[in-house]
Amino acid sequence: MGVERVQDIASATSKDTIPVEFIRSENEQPGITTVPGTVLECPIIDFSDPDEEKLLKQIFEASTDWGMYQIVNHDISNEAIAKLQAVGKEFFELPHEEKEVYAKDPNSKSVEGYGTFLQKELEGKKGWVDHLFHKIWPPSAINYCFWPKNPASYREANEEYAKNLHKVVEKLFKLLSLGLGLEAQELKKAVGGDDLVYLLKINYYPPCPRPDLALGVVAHTDMSALTILVPNDVQGLQACRDGQWYDVKYIPNALVIHIGDQMEVMSNGKFKAVLHRTTVSKDKTRISWPAFLEPPPDHIIGPHPKLVNDKENPPKYKTKKYSEYVYNKLNKIPQ
């Protein structure tokens, strides 16, 4: 049988109960901890604004104050996004056995593949989600054995999306770099330059009989430098603001940007990694496609040398290999 998948548990679960390992403690239950009736208007930024100064200021402020924003008019066509979504949804709707072909090797250090549990959770709790991870860039890092062969158009849709992401990635890094007072290319270079890895994850959250008790993904910040996320139209993303949890408004065809841990580290705390989590729905399937932009595993990341000095601005974070950072985070070891 192997690992039990949440999709199978959801199909087998009766009307109003869920297995105990999915029931969160009271300080995490979304039914208790979500601020009711308030949708968080995190910044919405027009990425095609010809006024670059204005755009730079908006991105900088959103990255320091929120750590999360949505960009619209980003030049990735609605069609390219719809194709990415269609093939991902189709994969998860395949029979159990067909998906298991892509199951991640339990002995592998890599996160790539089809899976259910990602990190050590305190008290052995589980998130109401299955996932598929695979790299979509650079070509040298891609392992096609984790790319579904069915649907047949899966590869084309993902390659097309990766190609479209480049422009957005370049522009974001440039604006963030300039915002910090660095040269346009310095931040991207510090995170790996052309070796920057785009790791795509599909999160599949089946309907859940008790969405008030469960979480899809527990509260976390992303390990990446940046995350660029495409959701489907089912509400579920929540962000923590001033210690309270709020729903983040869904905007069709917007890209949700998260500042990740590596960006916080490189900026020496100027940019804030956003604490977020995912709720689930009683009768709808939520799916999201985050692309994590991260350094290669052996790349060394720390506060950017130009942003620190011994007197006014000492480094607030340690400098270390990205692989070491990931290992510590997944195993709940202090950084």
Side-chain angles (χ1 to χ4, degrees):
M1 170 68 203
V3 181
E4 230 186 336
R5 304 298 178 196
V6 174
Q7 214 171 341
D8 300 328
I9 294 168
S11 313
T13 302
S14 67
K15 292 263 185 294
D16 51 3
T17 58
I18 54 173
V20 64
E21 64 269 26
F22 291 98
I23 299 175
R24 311 309 305 196
S25 60
E26 288 199 353
N27 62 346
E28 285 189 304
Q29 286 176 17
I32 299 174
T33 56
T34 304
V35 176
T38 315
V39 173
L40 204 56
E41 295 279 354
C42 70
I44 298 162
I45 297 173
D46 179 351
F47 215 49
S48 65
D49 195 322
D51 182 347
E52 193 169 274
E53 276 304 303
K54 180 181 154 199
L55 185 56
L56 200 147
K57 187 167 180 282
Q58 286 180 316
I59 295 271
F60 182 78
E61 284 175 0
S63 302
T64 47
D65 181 35
W66 288 80
M68 177 189 277
Y69 37 99
Q70 304 202 51
I71 59 173
V72 294
N73 303 323
H74 43 66
D75 270 358
I76 301 184
S77 71
N78 296 356
E79 185 195 12
I81 289 175
K83 276 185 185 163
L84 175 82
Q85 292 176 310
V87 294
K89 178 172 184 281
E90 222 175 303
F91 169 74
F92 275 94
E93 288 169 355
L94 292 173
H96 179 95
E97 314 67 69
E98 280 198 57
K99 290 184 295 229
E100 291 298 338
V101 171
Y102 301 97
K104 69 177 65 156
D105 175 354
N107 304 314
S108 164
K109 279 189 175 165
S110 163
V111 296
E112 289 190 281
Y114 171 63
T116 298
F117 307 115
L118 189 58
Q119 57 176 343
K120 263 194 181 164
E121 271 231 40
L122 303 173
E123 304 148 14
K125 292 289 177 194
K126 292 176 179 176
W128 194 264
V129 64
D130 296 320
H131 62 251
L132 175 70
F133 269 111
H134 59 73
K135 293 171 188 164
I136 56 172
W137 195 261
S140 58
I142 291 176
N143 193 341
Y144 286 111
C145 71
F146 294 117
W147 289 45
K149 310 255 181 309
N150 185 8
S153 53
Y154 188 90
R155 179 165 170 171
E156 186 198 348
N158 278 265
E159 286 179 340
E160 177 75 8
Y161 182 66
K163 202 172 78 193
N164 279 300
L165 265 183
H166 294 325
K167 275 191 280 189
V168 176
V169 171
E170 293 299 322
K171 191 167 173 178
L172 266 176
F173 271 105
K174 177 184 163 188
L175 291 165
L176 289 164
S177 202
L178 293 170
L180 288 170
L182 300 169
E183 304 282 323
Q185 292 306 315
E186 283 188 287
L187 210 48
K188 171 114 187 283
K189 195 175 159 207
V191 82
D194 291 340
D195 295 325
L196 181 75
V197 173
Y198 300 16
L199 175 66
L200 184 77
K201 182 187 188 193
I202 307 179
N203 287 305
Y204 188 92
Y205 309 93
C208 176
R210 294 298 305 268
D212 55 325
L213 300 180
L215 283 173
V217 175
V218 64
H220 66 289
T221 56
D222 293 344
M223 291 185 276
S224 56
L226 287 174
T227 303
I228 300 178
L229 180 140
V230 168
N232 75 346
D233 58 357
V234 178
Q235 184 65 49
L237 184 61
Q238 292 193 331
C240 188
R241 187 107 173 117
D242 306 320
Q244 302 275 341
W245 287 102
Y246 298 91
D247 291 322
V248 176
K249 183 180 177 181
Y250 164 70
I251 300 169
N253 295 302
L255 299 174
V256 183
I257 310 298
H258 300 167
I259 295 290
D261 296 344
Q262 306 315 307
M263 188 62 80
E264 183 172 314
V265 167
M266 288 189 299
S267 71
N268 204 33
K270 196 89 172 159
F271 295 148
K272 297 286 182 282
V274 63
L275 187 65
H276 57 288
R277 69 181 186 186
T278 313
T279 59
V280 289
S281 162
K282 194 170 176 67
D283 40 31
K284 293 194 178 104
T285 295
R286 181 170 192 271
I287 315 176
S288 67
W289 288 258
F292 300 103
L293 310 178
E294 48 180 48
D298 288 338
H299 194 76
I300 291 171
I301 291 270
H304 196 285
K306 289 192 178 177
L307 302 176
V308 292
N309 55 51
D310 292 340
K311 289 213 171 93
E312 301 90 64
N313 213 353
K316 298 176 183 165
Y317 306 86
K318 291 179 185 155
T319 294
K320 64 180 68 160
K321 272 188 185 177
Y322 182 58
S323 55
E324 189 188 333
Y325 187 94
V326 171
Y327 180 85
N328 289 352
K329 180 135 178 172
L330 290 178
N331 290 288
K332 303 269 186 285
I333 299 166
Q335 298 289 353

